[in-house]
Amino acid sequence: QVQLVESGGGSVQPGGSLRLSCTAPGFTVDYYAIGWFRQAPGKEREEVSCIIEDGRTGYTDSVKGRFTISRDVAKKTVYLQMNNLKPEDTAVYYCAAADGGIAVFDTGCFGLWDYRGQGTQVTVSS
């Protein structure tokens, strides 16, 4: 059973920063592709970023230059550093894992995800 646990969400003002963590206690994070998704009320789930097994990363256009994904294999954790946050970034953020099959393109990451965490709320408001 693959378990993913998100943390780091919260409320910030526009222009602020948050760092989300996705911890996978049961597996080695560089053996899987790990992605971050978000879903705002009334909107479809949106892929935000991913890091695949070989370390390549992908981002959706709306977060490029503001968000950075990284991983710490020893800590079994993937991070999403979010800077210059905007109200439209408000959503529940989820991390997901895939045992292969994720491709990285200029516009983001694509493929089928196998596992998902419970999510963490991010609210950007003045």
Side-chain angles (χ1 to χ4, degrees):
Q1 183 71 23
V2 173
Q3 182 184 15
L4 299 168
V5 181
E6 301 96 335
S7 61
S11 297
V12 295
Q13 293 185 342
S17 298
L18 285 173
R19 188 178 76 161
L20 304 184
S21 299
C22 173
T23 301
F27 66 90
T28 303
V29 295
D30 59 344
Y31 286 6
Y32 287 76
I34 305 293
W36 283 99
F37 296 79
R38 64 187 180 188
Q39 188 162 19
K43 294 187 177 181
E44 293 186 357
R45 192 181 71 172
E46 177 187 26
E47 178 264 333
V48 175
S49 179
C50 81
I51 182 166
I52 62 174
E53 295 90 326
D54 64 5
R56 282 180 290 160
T57 59
Y59 301 90
T60 193
D61 285 345
S62 62
V63 307
K64 285 179 180 176
R66 300 189 298 124
F67 291 10
T68 303
I69 192 169
S70 62
R71 65 189 179 196
D72 186 325
V73 176
K75 294 183 177 180
K76 298 183 180 291
T77 300
V78 171
Y79 302 100
L80 185 68
Q81 178 67 44
M82 305 187 296
N83 298 327
N84 189 22
L85 283 161
K86 303 177 180 180
E88 51 264 41
D89 295 318
T90 295
V92 177
Y93 283 70
Y94 304 88
C95 66
D99 187 7
I102 304 299
V104 175
F105 297 94
D106 287 342
T107 52
C109 311
F110 299 92
L112 295 177
W113 298 90
D114 301 309
Y115 310 99
R116 198 189 84 170
Q118 293 299 308
T120 185
Q121 176 70 45
V122 171
T123 302
V124 185
S125 174
S126 55

